[in-house]
Amino acid sequence: MPNSTAAQRNRDPILKVLRTVLPAKGVVLETNSGDGTHAVHFAAALTPLVWQPSDIDLPALEILATKSTGNLKAPLQLDVVSTDWPLDHADAIVSSNMVHIAPWAACEGLLSGTARLLTAGSVLFLYGPFFIDGRPAAPSNQAFDASLKQRNPEWGIRNLGAIDAAAASRGLDRTKLIDMPANNFAIVYRKRT
Ligand SMILES: C[S@@+](CC[C@H](N)C(=O)[O-])C[C@H]1O[C@@H](n2cnc3c(N)ncnc32)[C@H](O)[C@@H]1O
């Protein structure tokens, strides 16, 4: 289960960025919502947006289900690697802290699903640690990357250039890279018009 202490710490810095990139209304699909710490906070702050949480993990879905109310919808089971997502449209997609704690196929699946669901001009928001060409990696992120790879050799902090290339080949162009606290980043891709 994700660390909700971290989510409580980073939810306001993330919300500040979300306010500048999400549409005023419509449905936001959050993939890999975990225990819903972010979903509860963002849904309450971003009314009238409808927040659609989801995760691959059944225990997470059970916790998420206890939190749904108002504009925070009941969770969907969604494995981003699947080509068959349980909804066919979203007005924006948000994914925090997954692409490094999953195989590369999860990042590719997230990008492919985003390309299928979003209409031109809509955004995919990513949050987490990334390695960025030309910028020295923070020692804490290097240590985190090593510990992830030790847990699973297919995991690890992703190179932003590799994500950009995989996104671009699916019609998604990066429009923002924002430094966030604790050596994390907020990244925005927009579907090409
Ligand atoms: C570190 S938690 C992040 C939770 C929350 N978004 C946050 O930032 O606090 C990673 C989440 O990714 C989910 N996850 C891993 N692989 C996934 C996949 N293929 N599809 C959807 N969710 C996945 C896990 O079940 C877990 O809930």
Side-chain angles (χ1 to χ4, degrees), residues 24 35 49 57 61 64 80 82 86 90 104 108 110 130 137 144 150 160 173-174:
D35 73 356
L49 272 178
D57 183 56
L61 291 168
L64 286 166
V80 293
S82 162
W104 174 245
E108 291 183 304
L110 174 63
F130 298 89
F144 185 38
Q150 210 165 26
L160 183 61
D173 297 315
R174 180 161 57 78

Side-chain angles (χ1 to χ4, degrees), residues 35-94:
D35 73 356
T37 302
H38 282 162
V40 168
H41 192 62
F42 298 159
L46 296 171
T47 315
L49 272 178
V50 173
W51 200 266
Q52 175 61 71
S54 67
D55 205 281
I56 189 176
D57 183 56
L58 282 177
L61 291 168
E62 280 169 21
I63 294 172
L64 286 166
T66 66
K67 298 183 174 178
S68 75
T69 175
N71 65 329
L72 177 55
K73 305 269 280 181
L76 296 172
Q77 184 164 28
L78 168 55
D79 173 0
V80 293
V81 177
S82 162
T83 53
D84 184 20
W85 287 23
L87 69 179
D88 54 20
H89 173 77
D91 297 292
I93 296 179
V94 169

Side-chain angles (χ1 to χ4, degrees), residues 93-130:
I93 296 179
V94 169
S95 176
S96 300
N97 289 316
M98 181 198 66
V99 297
H100 56 288
I101 310 184
W104 174 245
C107 185
E108 291 183 304
L110 174 63
L111 296 170
S112 295
T114 296
R116 287 193 302 273
L117 265 63
L118 293 187
T119 49
S122 298
V123 302
L124 166 66
F125 172 91
L126 297 186
Y127 169 85
F130 298 89

